[in-house]
């Protein structure tokens, strides 16, 4: 699923979430807004690709990964 011209949802998901965990619509909309308002303008400014290394985690995966309860990954 495309979030913007240069970013797709899969770039932001943890390995477990890429394989079937459902992502709440509000999280997808938040990631789309991030792409459109921050990442696309940043990509244009630096003149090249941006590699996403950390993004959304389901609460269950966050717990398994050792993430804190109020992690920004699940926010």
């Amino acid at each position: 699923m495309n979030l913007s011209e240069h970013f797709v949802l899969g770039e932001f998901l943890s390995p477990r979430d890429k394989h079937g965990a459902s992502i709440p619509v509000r999280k997808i909309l938040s990631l789309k807004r991030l792409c459109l308002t921050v990442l696309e303008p940043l990509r244009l400014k630096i003149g090249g690709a941006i590699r996403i290394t950390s993004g959304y985690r389901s609460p269950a995966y966050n717990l398994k990964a050792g993430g804190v309860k109020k992690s920004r990954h699940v926010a």
Side-chain angles (χ1 to χ4, degrees), residues 4-71:
S4 66
E5 183 178 356
H6 297 101
F7 296 94
V8 296
L9 181 60
E11 293 178 86
F12 293 87
L13 303 180
S14 66
R16 178 178 174 193
D17 293 322
K18 287 182 184 181
H19 297 9
S22 63
I23 309 304
V25 173
R26 63 185 168 81
K27 301 295 183 187
I28 294 171
L29 294 174
S30 292
L31 289 171
K32 185 171 187 147
R33 188 170 39 255
L34 172 70
C35 290
L36 293 172
T37 62
V38 177
L39 298 178
E40 286 291 349
L42 178 61
R43 188 181 193 283
L44 183 63
K45 185 173 182 165
I46 64 171
I50 296 172
R51 182 174 174 219
I52 306 300
T53 61
S54 185
Y56 175 78
R57 293 179 183 164
S58 66
Y61 186 78
N62 188 58
L63 185 63
K64 283 187 174 187
V68 295
K69 187 173 183 175
K70 294 189 177 188
S71 170

